[in-house]
Amino acid sequence: MYLVCGEALFDFFSEEDASGQASRVNYKAIAGGSPFNVAVGLRRLGIESALLGGVSNDFLGQRLLQVLKDEGVSQQFLLEFAAPTTLAMVAVGANGSPQYSFRGEGCADRQLTLEHLPTLGDEVRGVHIGSFSLVVQPIGDTLLSLVKRESGKRLISLDPNVRLNPQPDIQLWRERVAELVKHADLIKVSDEDLHLLYPDQSPESVLQGWLQHRCQLVFLTRGGDGASVFSRQHGSWSQPAVKVVMADTVGAGDTFQAALIAWLTEQQLDSIDGLQQLTRAQIDSMLGFAIRAAALTCSKTGPDLPYRQQLG
């Protein structure tokens, strides 16, 4: 089982209103949140997963729980709180890239504290963290403590997935990412995130710095330009994107992340030792698998992550 930690929320996508009245705005609400998507994505790829986080006891929170149940994601690490569900208002640009605006202050997914941290058994092969749950409180400090506790015991993966709307202090993001990078074995990051975090540094210099800690592999996604991998043992190289008819990129990064973990699990290499044993050819296969999976998500509207049988 892979334990994914962080927020579960609803994405609200604006839709055209046929009446043309300014007083009316139509929305389509879709369950999401980066960690939520990764947990669902893992199950769709055939990997056991659980979500650690807070959900609301309100109507939307119960819908999130139902989605997780329907998808087969374990709910044993979820906690219910009498607080609202976070809402993310999403506007999709002409290139398919989403812009987010969050309504999340005081919401259920932020309420996780140290007393809520579970003891993990051997069935939990790895822990994944990412997105704004890293930097909003109290869950941010709680997840940092979890990562420090579990680092070296089981595989730790990280996707910063920077979202400045819920936490606009970029220096806080830098400090938290720098701390987490010391404990992660596998990191996935987008070129957009790197530019936000370190606008005056080249991606290569930042990622090589990350490899000086525990990390064995860093994957850098570049949208339509494909993705690159930086390996401590085998150097760096890239693969092009798979061409698709673009709907939007919502959930593409989460799909990429889930596919990396799924590939490792399928190959029985989902461990610290397994990651260190990877050959260049295996890493290249892993990269290609994640690119193909992300491309499928880009061909559909919203975070509709692919199933294992769709990837051959």
Side-chain angles (χ1 to χ4, degrees), residues 180-303:
L180 290 166
V181 159
K182 299 174 185 176
H183 305 285
D185 303 291
L186 170 70
I187 303 173
K188 172 255 161 189
V189 66
S190 71
D191 54 358
E192 293 178 348
D193 286 348
L194 275 188
H195 181 70
L196 285 171
L197 288 167
Y198 312 106
D200 300 323
Q201 298 181 49
S202 70
E204 292 74 17
S205 65
V206 175
L207 303 190
Q208 290 297 342
W210 289 356
L211 289 172
Q212 302 308 306
H213 301 286
R214 287 193 54 87
C215 189
Q216 293 291 322
L217 291 176
V218 182
F219 290 86
L220 175 64
T221 58
R222 304 178 189 269
D225 294 326
S228 304
V229 60
F230 293 75
S231 165
R232 180 184 291 193
Q233 296 185 52
H234 304 292
S236 63
W237 65 95
S238 303
Q239 285 192 33
V242 174
K243 295 190 182 303
V244 295
V245 177
M246 175 73 68
D248 62 48
T249 64
V250 178
D254 302 327
T255 303
F256 193 101
Q257 179 69 61
L260 294 176
I261 297 168
W263 189 95
L264 286 170
T265 304
E266 284 188 0
Q267 304 298 316
Q268 297 183 327
L269 294 166
D270 56 331
S271 64
I272 296 168
D273 289 342
L275 208 61
Q276 294 171 346
Q277 295 168 15
L278 287 171
T279 66
R280 181 186 171 103
Q282 286 175 315
I283 296 169
D284 198 51
S285 176
M286 183 179 175
L287 175 61
F289 182 73
I291 289 174
R292 295 198 308 277
L296 283 175
T297 299
C298 290
S299 69
K300 294 175 283 187
T301 300

Side-chain angles (χ1 to χ4, degrees), residues 23 49 53 62 93 117 151 249 275 280 283 295:
S23 59
S49 69
Q62 297 310 297
L117 284 182
S151 180
T249 64
L275 208 61
R280 181 186 171 103
I283 296 169

Side-chain angles (χ1 to χ4, degrees), residues 7 36 40 72 74 78 89 146 158 164 186 216 218 264 282 298 304:
E7 69 267 14
F36 180 95
V40 169
S74 172
L78 285 173
M89 319 308 285
L146 175 67
L158 166 68
L164 292 180
L186 170 70
Q216 293 291 322
V218 182
L264 286 170
Q282 286 175 315
C298 290
D304 188 0

Side-chain angles (χ1 to χ4, degrees), residues 1-24:
M1 176 188 287
Y2 218 86
L3 182 64
V4 186
C5 311
E7 69 267 14
L9 51 82
F10 265 93
D11 290 319
F12 279 71
F13 294 84
S14 59
E15 296 185 320
E16 290 297 326
D17 177 40
S19 71
Q21 298 179 35
S23 59
R24 297 182 60 178

